[in-house]
Structure formats: structure tokens, C-alpha cells
Amino acid sequence: MSKAVLLSIRPNWCKMIWAGMKEVEVRKTRPTLETPFKAYIYCTGHDGWVMKSPKAGVQKMDSRVIGEFTCDKIDKLVHVGMMGSIEPPKLQIVTPDLWYKPADELLQAACLTEAEAEKYLKGGDGYGWHISDLRIYDRPRKLQELTGLRNTRFGMEPVEITRPPQSWGYVREL
């Protein structure tokens, strides 16, 4: 059984992903899956967002699984500061060789300012999920078309999805 992830994303961010402007999704946690893995985009809310598809006509986008992408890389975001400094710690990316580099490019790809990222992370560390191979569906899917996965002592068990995840959750790959 192939595991994937279902991400709940607000309509304004979904629109930026759809337009190709948002290439990184910043989250407080990450799955234990190795990259690359498939991620499904659930557009939250009820803002009345509709799109016209050449194949399917006008489609409701909010409260639907609107597409999928491959998460091919996850960067760890940490706070780095100098001991005794009056400057607050800055968000940095941990590199594969365990050095730090500024998070400016990652935050720009996530369409976030450092202040917005700090507000979301509330002083904690985070992760930058990279979006590649984006595919927006002609006909968005209902949440119930996916199968959730719950961790048990015997492994992952399929479960019906009755509501979207608060942030993200494991699902069976379609």
C-alpha cells in the first residue's frame, strides 16, 4: 500500500499554488515518509471559489481535493542566533551537511515574509515542503474519495475520511 499525504490548505494559498506562484508549503511538522512522496491538496473553506475547466466546465474548488503534487524535498527551518545577542534568532535552513543558510529564498517561494512565518511557527521550528509536478484536477474530488490511514501497532490501517485533517494526514495513494 503506497502512502501519501493529504494537506488542508486555505483557498488563498491554493490559488497561489494553482497560479504557480507558491512553490513551497511551510508546516510545523512533516511526515515520516521519505521524499519524494505524493501530496493531495484539500482546499478548505467556503469562499465560493470556482474555476472553469476546458474539459469539465465550471467546477467548485473549495471544500474539495483540487489537485496533487510531488513533494521532492523538505527543508528544516530552525531559529539560529548568537548567544548573548540582543538580536532575535533568525530563521535558517539546515543544509544536508548540517550547516545553516538564510531562509529568505525558501520564504519567498512560500509567499511568506519572515514575520508571517514567525507568526505561524510561534517561535518553533518548521519545515518547507517543496512542490513539484503540480497537477490540478479538471474535476476536483470529494474528500470521501480518498482513504485515510491510521497508525496501529500492526502497521497502517485504512479508515474512512469524514473530515479534512487539521494540517495534514496520511492517506492511501490513488
Side-chain angles (χ1 to χ4, degrees):
M1 164 184 355
S2 292
K3 286 195 284 187
V5 171
L6 174 65
L7 279 162
S8 290
I9 302 178
R10 292 185 180 153
N12 56 320
W13 298 119
C14 286
K15 292 171 188 174
M16 289 179 148
I17 291 170
W18 175 82
M21 296 166 51
K22 185 171 171 64
E23 299 168 338
V24 172
E25 178 66 18
V26 172
R27 294 291 164 133
K28 295 176 187 174
T29 59
R30 63 157 293 165
T32 57
L33 299 174
E34 293 293 323
T35 55
F37 61 86
K38 185 169 285 193
Y40 297 98
I41 303 167
Y42 176 82
C43 183
T44 65
H46 302 284
D47 78 342
W49 181 30
V50 294
M51 291 295 298
K52 186 174 183 180
S53 160
K55 294 179 184 172
V58 175
Q59 296 290 314
K60 176 180 168 35
M61 300 298 273
D62 54 355
S63 302
R64 297 277 191 276
V65 179
I66 65 163
E68 62 188 58
F69 66 88
T70 299
C71 180
D72 58 355
K73 179 181 174 188
I74 297 181
D75 285 316
K76 176 141 174 110
L77 291 163
V78 296
H79 290 82
V80 178
M82 299 295 289
M83 293 290 278
S85 172
I86 58 170
E87 293 286 320
K90 300 273 291 169
L91 269 176
Q92 303 276 314
I93 296 172
V94 179
T95 65
D97 53 358
L98 302 179
W99 289 90
Y100 300 107
K101 71 177 189 178
D104 302 339
E105 283 182 37
L106 182 134
L107 294 177
Q108 185 176 357
C111 299
L112 291 171
T113 63
E114 187 163 357
E116 290 167 331
E118 289 291 358
K119 183 178 177 186
Y120 169 70
L121 295 171
K122 296 181 179 158
D125 295 339
Y127 298 90
W129 301 29
H130 290 255
I131 298 169
S132 66
D133 303 323
L134 176 65
R135 183 175 152 229
I136 301 296
Y137 301 144
D138 288 328
R139 285 191 175 90
R141 300 168 186 252
K142 292 185 178 174
L143 193 58
Q144 294 74 18
E145 293 180 46
L146 294 173
T147 301
L149 294 172
R150 179 177 53 209
N151 217 349
T152 69
R153 29 180 256 213
F154 304 109
M156 293 301 246
E157 171 183 278
V159 293
E160 181 183 0
I161 298 177
T162 56
R163 62 181 195 172
Q166 188 71 27
S167 177
W168 63 268
Y170 293 109
V171 294
R172 183 182 286 165
E173 190 174 327
L174 293 173

